[in-house]
Amino acid sequence: MLVILCMCNAPLSSLRAAFVELSGNSDYHDLLVSVLWDGVVHTSTQVRCGAARMFDHLVGVMSEAQLSTRVVPALVTLASDQEMVVRVATVSAFGTVVETATDREVAEKANMQFQAFLDDPVYKTEHAMHVQMIKTLGRIGPNAEPKFRDDFILPRLAFLAAGNNYTANETKKRDLAIALFEAYSALSCCFVNEQMIREALLPGLRCLHRDMAVIASEHEEIVGSMIREFEIKLESFRPHDSPSSSTMPYMSQAPNPTVNLGGEVKAAMMNKLKDFRDKSSSSHIASIFKKK
């Protein structure tokens, strides 16, 4: 059924409903994974994309053993596919692994794949990958471990927001800005410590505010309100008798074109990501796994 639907470019909603129903019974888990593995090795790009998307509906109900030995290896295989659209289709499922996996090793494999998606030069100009990564990080952020949110999600979103300031294509700029707006809206309910507000959250929001003023003015005021809210929170961390000009409300300050927010965000991101780097070469991730 997966092959037929994908080859006909038909919606996967019926198959998704069947998977959700069957996945409620652990007796069917091996069968469901086997069906998707057939899609993983299929010659059709559409079928491989469909398999990648369907894995997202199994991750949350699989045992840690099944995640480690069958599901994550399948996703990593798809993440090294020769077609970029297939790689992009795996992002949401990897996000669900990060969000739900209790086994540290399993979560770390997903973390490394996320790092590869954002660090490998091959993805530098892949707009669809950037948009999907932002959407996924925004979705999993509120439920992710605080350390992962602070060390990875917030710095990465800030870096992508800074880069979007220099995107010339208005359509791509808007796509990324809207995705960032939704991600920051979701993350605004999370507790964020003083350091991360200063080093990642506020710089990222300020970059986003720049773009909203140009291409999505209907959201500009909301982003400005988010900035003011976090500036107030940041001010509350400081002694009242030693005010700092750096904590003055952003919206009340005149724009300073000499401020290089991109450099600020990049420096902060690189500092926060030092624990993620060099753990594994992204070009060798796929070789870790073999189909069971």
Side-chain angles (χ1 to χ4, degrees), residues 238-275:
R238 297 179 177 275
H240 292 292
D241 59 348
S242 58
S244 170
S245 61
S246 64
T247 62
M248 292 177 61
Y250 168 72
M251 299 301 295
S252 65
Q253 298 180 38
N256 183 356
T258 64
V259 175
N260 183 2
L261 287 177
E264 173 190 350
V265 173
K266 183 176 181 179
M269 187 203 78
M270 297 304 292
N271 287 334
K272 296 303 296 179
L273 292 174
K274 61 184 178 180
D275 292 335

Side-chain angles (χ1 to χ4, degrees), residues 130-175:
H130 296 164
V131 172
Q132 188 58 53
M133 280 297 303
I134 292 170
K135 288 181 177 180
T136 300
L137 293 178
R139 174 176 65 83
I140 70 174
N143 296 320
E145 290 187 0
K147 180 175 175 55
F148 180 72
R149 185 167 58 238
D150 291 348
D151 289 354
F152 191 88
I153 294 178
L154 290 175
R156 292 294 187 162
L157 290 179
F159 188 64
L160 289 165
N164 202 41
N165 284 167
Y166 303 98
T167 299
N169 185 294
E170 186 172 323
T171 300
K172 291 182 177 180
K173 180 187 285 285
R174 181 180 177 84
D175 288 346

Side-chain angles (χ1 to χ4, degrees), residues 10-256:
L12 296 178
S13 54
S14 58
L15 183 61
R16 187 179 302 113
F19 265 59
V20 170
E21 180 70 23
L22 292 174
S23 65
N25 187 333
S26 60
D27 292 339
Y28 295 116
H29 287 181
D30 285 338
L31 173 63
L32 295 175
V33 174
S34 295
V35 169
L36 294 187
W37 257 110
D38 289 341
V40 171
V41 298
H42 200 276
T43 57
S44 167
T45 299
Q46 294 97 316
V47 174
R48 298 197 301 276
C49 281
R53 295 190 181 99
M54 291 304 301
F55 269 115
D56 197 14
H57 302 286
L58 291 184
V59 169
V61 298
M62 291 286 157
S63 68
E64 293 296 334
Q66 290 170 317
L67 280 178
S68 178
T69 60
R70 304 200 68 192
V71 176
V72 173
L75 290 173
V76 171
T77 299
L78 292 168
S80 61
D81 195 275
Q82 61 182 353
E83 298 294 336
M84 185 60 65
V85 66
V86 177
R87 302 185 192 188
V88 174
T90 67
V91 173
S92 183
F94 275 117
T96 305
V97 172
V98 172
E99 185 180 22
T100 62
T102 57
D103 184 276
R104 188 176 185 85
E105 184 178 349
V106 171
E108 183 61 26
K109 290 171 182 175
N111 294 348
M112 288 192 296
Q113 189 62 62
F114 269 176
Q115 182 183 347
F117 282 150
L118 291 174
D119 286 346
D120 194 319
V122 73
Y123 301 110
K124 185 176 182 180
T125 59
E126 291 297 333
H127 176 70
M129 177 63 78
H130 296 164
V131 172
Q132 188 58 53
M133 280 297 303
I134 292 170
K135 288 181 177 180
T136 300
L137 293 178
R139 174 176 65 83
I140 70 174
N143 296 320
E145 290 187 0
K147 180 175 175 55
F148 180 72
R149 185 167 58 238
D150 291 348
D151 289 354
F152 191 88
I153 294 178
L154 290 175
R156 292 294 187 162
L157 290 179
F159 188 64
L160 289 165
N164 202 41
N165 284 167
Y166 303 98
T167 299
N169 185 294
E170 186 172 323
T171 300
K172 291 182 177 180
K173 180 187 285 285
R174 181 180 177 84
D175 288 346
L176 224 67
I178 295 301
L180 285 163
F181 173 75
E182 294 173 351
Y184 278 120
S185 296
L187 290 165
S188 64
C189 64
C190 303
F191 172 79
V192 184
N193 63 44
E194 177 186 4
Q195 180 182 359
M196 292 312 303
I197 291 176
R198 182 173 56 253
E199 294 183 359
L201 193 53
L202 277 175
L205 282 171
R206 287 166 180 163
C207 290
L208 177 60
H209 188 261
R210 276 180 162 183
D211 286 337
M212 288 303 189
V214 177
I215 48 85
S217 58
E218 67 273 19
H219 298 307
E220 180 184 3
E221 183 177 350
I222 299 175
V223 177
S225 296
M226 293 169 66
I227 291 172
R228 286 192 293 270
E229 178 182 348
F230 282 107
E231 285 176 334
I232 292 172
K233 288 182 179 180
L234 189 60
E235 186 67 29
S236 70
F237 287 115
R238 297 179 177 275
H240 292 292
D241 59 348
S242 58
S244 170
S245 61
S246 64
T247 62
M248 292 177 61
Y250 168 72
M251 299 301 295
S252 65
Q253 298 180 38
N256 183 356

